[in-house]
Amino acid sequence: MSHRRAHRAALTAALAAAGALTLSACTSGGTSGGGGQTKFVTSTGGISTVAKADRKPVAEIAGKTLEGEPLDVADFKGKIVVLNVWGSWCPPCRAEAPALVKVANETKANGVEFVGINTRDLNKSPAIAFEKDYKVTYPSLYDPKGKLIVGGFPAGTLNPQAIPSTVVLDRDGKIAARALKAVSEKELRSMIDPLIAEK
């Protein structure tokens, strides 16, 4: 297979995965991804976690923010990172925004960084207005076509499969928890607090 055909095949697969994400966009629930030997533990609240020994690192999640600034999630290694996939057009994203902002502000001193991944907003203006309306203080990577979502989370891990999704990375940049729904303050804390306590 030529290099061009291999590239085209990879691009087709990525677009198919992005299409699957689109189909599950703005859902109120979802099933945990993976299977077999993934060792996910899913609570009845729809939050999946992975034991420390079984966690896998994310791939590269880097690009430009909605404000046009460069951002690479790898630069936050040593901190807990909360990645929230959202769109300004998504009602559940609006519902969870106040909880995300509150917990982001309250946990920053504990070494927790929040990063949004804005998707399917083909124009930045509504997304920037969303951040202003909800007083979002943390940055969001601009990912209108879902490339970061598809390429940033290896197969077989707790990857985002709906909009909104929230994925939490431990201090080593490994995927520790995920929610495939709008999260409350209590649910966010249940994902973050155990990682703050880890040594």
Side-chain angles (χ1 to χ4, degrees), residues 5-196:
R5 281 189 184 178
H7 177 73
R8 217 177 272 150
L11 183 60
T12 301
L15 291 173
L21 183 67
T22 298
L23 290 175
S24 63
C26 255
T27 57
S28 59
T31 57
S32 183
Q37 302 301 313
T38 53
K39 302 180 182 176
F40 300 165
V41 178
T42 305
S43 73
T44 54
I47 295 172
S48 302
T49 59
V50 183
K52 189 171 184 177
D54 299 319
R55 295 175 191 159
K56 305 289 185 225
V58 288
E60 183 181 45
I61 301 177
K64 294 284 181 80
T65 66
L66 285 168
E67 290 73 29
E69 299 294 323
L71 188 150
D72 188 340
V73 169
D75 291 341
F76 293 124
K77 199 162 184 182
K79 296 187 176 189
I80 295 159
V81 180
V82 179
L83 299 168
N84 177 256
V85 179
W86 66 280
S88 67
W89 43 268
C90 170
C93 301
R94 291 192 287 273
E96 72 175 357
L100 288 161
V101 170
K102 184 173 190 288
V103 176
N105 291 335
E106 292 175 353
T107 58
K108 192 164 184 69
N110 296 112
V112 180
E113 294 287 343
F114 277 60
V115 176
I117 301 177
N118 172 259
T119 191
R120 291 178 56 204
D121 273 311
L122 300 182
N123 181 331
K124 289 183 181 181
S125 297
I128 291 170
F130 178 105
E131 289 186 326
K132 185 177 179 183
D133 289 347
Y134 290 100
K135 298 177 174 60
V136 177
T137 55
Y138 53 84
S140 281
L141 287 162
Y142 183 52
D143 188 30
K145 295 183 180 177
K147 291 179 181 178
L148 294 176
I149 298 166
V150 172
F153 299 87
T157 64
L158 292 177
N159 53 345
Q161 297 176 355
I163 302 167
S165 287
T166 300
V167 177
V168 183
L169 311 181
D170 65 16
R171 290 184 180 93
D172 296 319
K174 294 181 177 180
I175 302 167
R178 177 196 63 191
L180 295 176
K181 61 178 186 171
V183 289
S184 67
E185 180 184 348
K186 182 178 178 182
E187 288 166 330
L188 265 174
R189 293 262 184 199
S190 77
M191 298 167 75
I192 297 168
D193 289 349
L195 300 178
I196 292 173

